Amino acid sequence: MLEKGMTITIYEYNGCSTCKNAIRFLEAGKIEFKRVPIVESPPSLAELQKMIGYLKARGSDFKKLFNTSGVLYREMGISEKLKAGMTETEALKLLSTHGKLIKRPFLLTGKSGTVGFNEAEWKGLL
């Protein structure tokens, strides 16, 4: 649950229907949040590292951060690079400079975070 005054940041892409659904969910719940355009201002290395910690706590890893359905993901051959042993450090450096590679929406609450929009999961975080 959110504590009073906790900052919520949602990195989103304006053309993403999943992001639009997530924002409608936040607005319907009268939850204050800060919107950040993920392409122009990708999450920092520190924010990405925090997210990896949140994902690992739920049994996932850094690979979940990638937008696997994106054009740039395919163009850059990320799937093959991951299979060839891309390290977490290499992935973070790449993700911090290419917002379109990041699964969205990318939500940070100050105490937790997640990628993608799953209403039940977001209700649990917020």
Side-chain angles (χ1 to χ4, degrees), residues 4 10 12 17 21-22 27-28 39-40 44 47 54-55 59 68 76 84 88-89 93 96 98 102 107-108 115 121:
K4 188 172 174 117
I10 181 170
E12 50 94 21
S17 61
N21 290 336
E27 290 172 343
V39 175
E40 294 83 357
S44 67
E47 289 171 319
Y54 302 141
L55 294 174
T68 58
M76 293 180 75
E88 186 175 297
T89 302
K93 186 175 180 182
S96 70
H98 294 286
I102 301 171
L107 177 79
L108 290 172
V115 292
E121 181 182 10

Side-chain angles (χ1 to χ4, degrees), residues 99-124:
K100 282 194 173 182
L101 288 176
I102 301 171
K103 184 172 180 136
R104 53 193 183 256
F106 183 101
L107 177 79
L108 290 172
T109 69
K111 285 196 168 189
S112 192
T114 193
V115 292
F117 177 62
N118 174 297
E119 189 171 324
E121 181 182 10
W122 280 44
K123 282 180 181 177

